[in-house]
Amino acid sequence: MSDCLFCKINSGEIPADILYQDDDVSVFRDISAQAPCHFLVIPKKHIATINHLQPADAGLLGKMYLTAQDVARQQGISESGFRTVMNCNDDGGQTVYHIHLHVLGGRPMSWPPG
Ligand code: AMP
Ligand code: ZN
């Protein structure tokens, strides 16, 4: 999608601190890190929100979590633990309308979220 920030990161048009990329997903550090380790896992395919997911996207979502697992291990936060979050629409706190899995670690997380 031409006016989507994360599609532009996928294509390389906008630079990012890329940790991993393949045909299905990109992983890059969040520009406004909320934890010592904070990265985003996004699909190459433009999907605006969780509400737009189709049954055919089930494998892609699984791949996003398996990629989060791999990169979390590479970043050294697997054993201490981490939080995954995918926000949806205004009340969920979504600001970029291309789905992304936040992975945050390197400090204890509180619950519930504010
Ligand atoms: P959300 O509020 O869940 O939609 O999350 C969007 C996230 O994207 C925020 O945590 C932002 O800090 C992050 N973000 C926005 N622009 C960029 C960028 N150019 N590179 C990396 N992360 C970004
Ligand atoms: Zn997009």
Side-chain angles (χ1 to χ4, degrees):
M1 201 187 172
S2 58
D3 62 347
C4 170
L5 172 65
F6 284 178
C7 282
K8 288 179 178 170
I9 287 178
N10 273 332
S11 69
E13 188 179 342
I14 288 179
D17 188 353
I18 303 282
L19 298 174
Y20 176 80
Q21 219 165 16
D22 64 22
D23 288 345
D24 302 316
V25 296
S26 297
V27 183
F28 52 92
R29 292 193 192 280
D30 195 295
I31 204 165
S32 176
Q34 301 300 311
C37 179
H38 183 181
F39 59 86
L40 305 175
V41 182
I42 73 171
K44 287 277 171 79
K45 177 182 177 184
H46 180 85
I47 301 170
T49 78
I50 292 173
N51 292 335
H52 294 81
L53 284 166
Q54 302 291 323
D57 299 319
L60 181 57
L61 272 184
K63 169 107 183 230
M64 289 171 68
Y65 272 91
L66 289 169
T67 303
Q69 178 196 68
D70 278 346
V71 177
R73 191 182 305 110
Q74 286 162 19
Q75 293 296 311
I77 59 170
S78 295
E79 295 309 316
S80 51
F82 55 90
R83 172 74 51 83
T84 58
V85 177
M86 192 182 290
N87 298 321
C88 183
N89 279 343
D90 284 349
D91 280 359
Q94 185 172 8
T95 59
V96 177
Y97 282 78
H98 177 131
I99 61 165
H100 46 281
L101 186 63
H102 292 261
V103 181
L104 304 107
R107 66 168 172 81
M109 302 290 151
S110 58
W111 190 263

